Each structure stands twice: as structure tokens, then as C-alpha cells.
Amino acid sequence: MYLIFRCDCGRVLYAKKGVATRKCTCGKTIKVKSRRILQRVETAEDATYAVQKMQEEIYGGSMFSTAEEFKQNKFLNQIDRKMKEL
């Protein structure tokens, strides 16, 4: 059983039932027991999918991209900024 909850920063996380704490990517250590549980799922795959869906609902669209996509978008944004300066 996996529990799905949110950090104070807004990120949706999951932890295996019985785990005392979970560390968020923002750096905060969260006591799972003191959090409001948003959803319960059976497998880690289901937990991953549920977290992705909740993140998309909260922030709109998919926030997950490959490193190659990130590099290309960063490069295109730099070009756009240079063109605006000219």
C-alpha cells in the first residue's frame, strides 16, 4: 500500500505505508503520519501514475521532459532573447 500526499511546497509525493518520513525535492523532510492522505494505491506503479496525474492537474500539462528536450528548449529560448535584444 502506498500513500499519496503533498509537501508544503506543493509537490505531490508518495511513500510506502509504514514509512515515518519522506524527503521532498525541495529539501524538506516530511512526517508522513502528520500529512493528510490524498489517495491510497496498491503498487508503486499506480502511485507513480497518480502523482503524475495530480501534478498535471495542479500545474497544467505535463511537466516531465527528457534532458534532450530541456537542452533544446533552453537553446531556443537563448536565441529568442538574443533576437529581441537586436
Side-chain angles (χ1 to χ4, degrees), residues 1-74:
M1 171 83 55
Y2 290 84
L3 310 173
I4 300 171
F5 53 93
R6 288 184 71 183
C7 177
D8 293 336
C9 72
R11 182 173 299 277
V12 180
L13 304 168
Y14 71 90
K16 195 167 188 172
K17 186 176 182 179
V19 172
T21 60
R22 169 79 155 83
K23 186 141 184 144
C24 181
T25 56
C26 73
K28 182 173 180 148
T29 301
I30 301 162
K31 292 182 180 177
V32 177
K33 190 176 183 179
S34 66
R35 289 291 162 171
R36 184 179 70 166
I37 305 304
L38 302 174
Q39 192 173 352
R40 297 170 198 270
V41 294
E42 290 299 319
T43 66
E45 292 82 18
D46 291 341
T48 302
Y49 180 73
V51 165
Q52 287 177 356
K53 293 298 282 182
M54 287 182 183
Q55 286 289 111
E56 288 176 7
E57 289 173 9
I58 294 168
Y59 297 107
S62 176
M63 295 178 52
F64 303 101
S65 59
T66 64
E68 190 61 39
E69 291 170 337
F70 179 77
K71 287 178 188 176
Q72 187 172 0
N73 288 338
K74 184 177 179 182

